[in-house]
Amino acid sequence: MVEIAPSILAADFSRLAEEIRAVQAAGASMVHVDVMDGHFVPSITIGPLVVQSLRRATDLALDCHLMIEDADRYAVEFVGAGADMVSVHQEACPHLHRTLTAIRGAGASPGVVINPATPVHMLDEALELADYILVMSVNPGFGGQEFIPGVLDKVRRLAQLRGERGLSYRIEIDGGITLVNVGEAARAGCDIIVAGTAIFHNSDPGEAFAAMAKEAERALALRV
Ligand code: DX5
Ligand code: ZN
């Protein structure tokens, strides 16, 4: 089953609870929360205090994507704030083994993220430590960018490696997903598909979510 994870980066921050309720009513089971620090990426978004408020506002799973320097220092704080899933960038984590182990130890699912220019083999020794691998399909930092189709080869490779090594991580993709390419992402092997602009910049986010979920399932049913 493919899950669509609405990214609240594209939502109206003054009405987050309402925006989340709209996608939940349409069937969402998780929301994607983009944490940016102005260092690892140019933008600054939200921190643990907002995650705490989101935790009080919804029972949906909170998938926190940390685009920050020194994730090793802050990751566990996000678990304490209520994140169910916390992912950190391979490029920002010199102590990946420690960081992923600490996230799991604190009670959340650990994930590792790779940028478009980072090859899958950089995760060789980390695959077994993560519950999910997030493949960036744009360069992180902003919503509304164009999808980079070449990253789908990395999704296929990760799916192949999972089988070969008997692992069970989920594969997530993030950036530039629309109704046009969501099916291709599902067919390539993505289990979680993040979409921000395509959902929250729509006049009816619930309807946009449902259309994407339906299109992903339709594409999967066509898979031979
Ligand atoms: C980009 C973020 C994404 C972003 C995706 O750095 O990690 O999660 O919200 O937004 P769209 O779907 O608009 O590309
Ligand atoms: Zn993200």
Side-chain angles (χ1 to χ4, degrees):
M1 193 193 99
V2 177
E3 283 190 77
I4 306 292
S7 166
I8 58 167
L9 185 65
D12 177 348
F13 274 33
S14 69
R15 299 169 38 247
L16 279 181
E18 202 183 312
E19 298 265 61
I20 290 172
R21 275 195 297 274
V23 289
Q24 182 170 20
S29 56
M30 62 163 73
V31 285
H32 184 82
V33 180
D34 286 308
V35 175
M36 306 186 188
D37 66 350
H39 292 276
F40 180 64
V41 292
S43 309
I44 300 177
T45 55
I46 67 179
L49 281 176
V50 176
V51 173
Q52 248 177 49
S53 297
L54 292 172
R55 183 68 296 157
R56 286 193 290 267
T58 182
D59 55 3
L60 293 189
L62 297 177
D63 168 26
C64 287
H65 172 194
L66 305 191
M67 285 159 276
I68 61 175
E69 279 180 3
D70 213 355
D72 195 38
R73 176 172 165 196
Y74 293 106
V76 165
E77 207 176 314
F78 283 90
V79 182
D84 302 279
M85 303 160 65
V86 176
S87 62
V88 298
H89 273 258
Q90 184 276 333
E91 303 86 359
C93 277
H95 310 296
L96 201 48
H97 183 284
R98 179 168 68 197
T99 312
L100 295 173
T101 306
I103 293 168
R104 189 183 299 287
S109 280
V112 194
V113 194
I114 47 172
N115 280 334
T118 303
V120 166
H121 71 74
M122 293 302 286
L123 298 181
D124 256 6
E125 314 301 328
L127 290 178
E128 62 197 49
L129 302 169
D131 285 351
Y132 61 108
I133 312 295
L134 169 46
V135 175
M136 289 306 299
S137 42
V138 297
N139 289 293
F142 308 95
Q145 302 182 78
E146 201 171 322
F147 182 72
I148 301 170
V151 305
L152 290 179
D153 280 344
K154 294 199 284 185
V155 171
R156 293 185 196 99
R157 176 94 188 107
L158 281 164
Q160 184 192 344
L161 280 171
R162 179 174 55 195
E164 285 170 11
R165 298 198 191 170
L167 296 171
S168 55
Y169 52 76
R170 295 208 284 167
I171 304 170
E172 181 172 18
I173 195 162
D174 182 10
I177 297 289
T178 64
L179 206 47
V180 171
N181 56 26
V182 66
E184 203 184 355
R187 277 196 307 273
C190 297
D191 304 294
I192 304 169
I193 300 180
V194 177
T197 304
I199 291 178
F200 290 112
H201 286 195
N202 190 290
S203 55
D204 186 338
E207 199 176 285
F209 171 89
M212 292 193 97
K214 194 172 163 197
E215 174 58 16
E217 291 305 331
R218 189 194 67 83
L220 273 187
L222 293 176
R223 189 159 63 165
V224 280

